[in-house]
Amino acid sequence: MVLGETLPPAGRYAPSPSGELHVGNLRTAVLAWLFARTTDRSFVIRMEDLDRTAVGADRRQLGDLTALGMDWVPPVVYQSTRLAAYQSAIDGLRDAGRTFECFCTRREIQEAPSAPHAPEGAYPGTCRELTDAERADRRAAGRPPAIRLRSDTPEFTVSDLLHGRYTGMVDDFVVQRNDGTPAYNLAVVVDDAAQGIDQVVRGADLLSSAPRQAYLATLLGHLPPVYAHVPMVLNAKRIRLSKRDGAVTLTDLAARGVTVAQVLSHIAQSLWLADPGEVVDLATLVERFRPDALPHDPWILTADEWE
Ligand code: GLU
């Protein structure tokens, strides 16, 4: 049985609870909610907490999403509770001969000559054909292996509501890190399928990861989702917005007298869904939302925005 296909279709927002959400994250969350809501999908939140987390960040993030008017179908799924599901996917791939152990350090990968015809940045294949004896030697040297997918395609094509058909590289990417943690690229695919997610809306910085993830979905017996990689929010230097850019969270902005309603209004305006200064709520945005009329360029956010 393919689990995802028995569930009602859903969209999702999947923050990493490493700190407070900034305006760029909030804008992506609003878009994910709008895409789901206007296509009769349910909507879920998933906390991607396999990496660095900050205590209480999850609660603050959920509080901010609620303050913007978003709702979702509970429970909020935490990836840290799903380790058995990731392990079972990794075991299944291994049993099917679709993985290999990789002992390379990052430096060795960077310095290795790339495989003939391999795209730039692809794993060079160093450990792909190790013999049992070579693997035993490396293990004896004390370096724990990462697990990589044994990919049989150099590229894969996904369908994206903003980018059309997008073809990108698939290499022998890591599915389990050498400290035993499941890799993001694996966890995201396992969870999207398990939660019935057939529409993935997220920042354009992840567009180049989508072919790997969609390909892995097919290997695990799932239909890849349809994607919408939405434009990023950049700072005045045209660099991806981050918390270092000053007042960019709801808390910072509130301290400067900017209300949540004003933040939503600026987000809506940046998406061409509201006039300057117009107060809007999510219900109004649902009525106005048209995916094909969204801006395709990043939103450049400067401190002047809130003057
Ligand atoms: N957790 C990732 C992030 O916060 C998003 C992953 C995804 O949406 O697939 O950037």
Side-chain angles (χ1 to χ4, degrees):
M1 181 182 73
V2 179
L3 194 55
E5 285 169 355
T6 64
L7 296 168
R12 47 70 154 187
Y13 181 59
S16 305
S18 56
E20 265 181 88
L21 298 173
H22 60 57
V23 177
N25 307 133
L26 296 171
R27 185 180 190 247
T28 300
V30 165
L31 281 168
W33 186 92
L34 284 171
F35 267 101
R37 190 48 56 99
T38 54
T39 53
D40 289 327
R41 286 179 168 85
S42 68
F43 186 69
V44 299
I45 307 275
R46 182 169 71 235
M47 284 291 163
E48 300 206 323
D49 61 344
L50 293 178
D51 267 325
R52 197 172 57 86
T53 60
V55 178
D58 56 338
R59 302 219 151 271
R60 289 197 296 279
Q61 293 186 343
L62 296 174
D64 286 355
L65 299 176
T66 304
L68 284 172
M70 291 172 53
D71 54 1
W72 52 87
V73 178
V76 172
V77 169
Y78 285 71
Q79 288 194 321
S80 55
T81 66
R82 305 246 321 129
L83 298 179
Y86 309 137
Q87 192 58 55
S88 128
I90 294 165
D91 291 348
L93 291 167
R94 185 200 53 221
D95 295 348
R98 301 307 310 230
T99 63
F100 63 90
E101 292 180 334
C102 172
F103 297 87
C104 296
T105 61
R106 195 167 297 195
R107 176 125 178 234
E108 283 165 350
I109 293 173
Q110 273 160 7
E111 288 173 358
S114 50
H117 313 300
E120 171 104 19
Y123 175 69
T126 321
C127 292
R128 191 177 160 115
E129 308 301 346
L130 291 183
T131 62
D132 288 348
E134 285 168 330
R135 263 200 308 280
D137 275 357
R138 282 168 179 69
R139 240 187 263 120
R143 198 187 293 157
I147 310 294
R148 285 184 182 272
L149 186 73
R150 191 179 287 281
S151 159
D152 62 3
T153 181
E155 58 183 31
F156 198 77
T157 300
V158 299
S159 168
D160 187 290
L161 297 167
L162 299 183
H163 298 263
R165 280 168 62 77
Y166 172 84
T167 301
M169 176 183 70
V170 177
D171 64 348
D172 293 337
F173 59 91
V174 171
V175 291
Q176 184 171 44
R177 301 192 322 219
N178 77 350
D179 63 0
T181 312
Y184 155 68
N185 277 323
L186 177 103
V188 77
V189 171
V190 170
D191 285 342
D192 283 343
Q195 295 185 280
I197 285 155
D198 66 345
Q199 180 190 63
V200 168
V201 179
R202 58 188 182 186
D205 54 335
L206 288 169
L207 177 61
S208 62
S209 299
R212 289 189 182 91
Q213 295 170 6
Y215 169 66
L216 178 57
T218 63
L219 291 185
L220 294 173
H222 308 300
L223 279 178
V226 64
Y227 294 93
H229 287 91
V230 300
M232 306 294 291
V233 180
L234 306 180
N235 67 16
K237 293 187 182 137
R238 306 287 194 271
I239 297 170
R240 181 155 74 142
L241 192 72
S242 81
K243 273 156 236 149
R244 285 186 298 277
D245 290 311
V248 289
T249 66
L250 291 188
T251 315
D252 304 333
L253 289 165
R256 294 180 45 175
V258 182
T259 64
V260 177
Q262 285 170 315
V263 175
L264 183 61
S265 158
H266 283 252
I267 288 175
Q269 199 191 310
S270 80
L271 296 169
W272 303 342
L273 293 171
D275 290 328
E278 188 189 4
V279 177
V280 282
D281 58 13
L282 285 182
T284 311
L285 299 187
V286 166
E287 278 160 32
R288 295 180 185 176
F289 186 68
R290 292 231 333 271
D292 52 356
L294 283 174
H296 280 221
D297 290 330
W299 182 27
I300 315 294
L301 186 73
T302 63
D304 304 347
E305 182 77 25
W306 313 107
E307 307 271 289

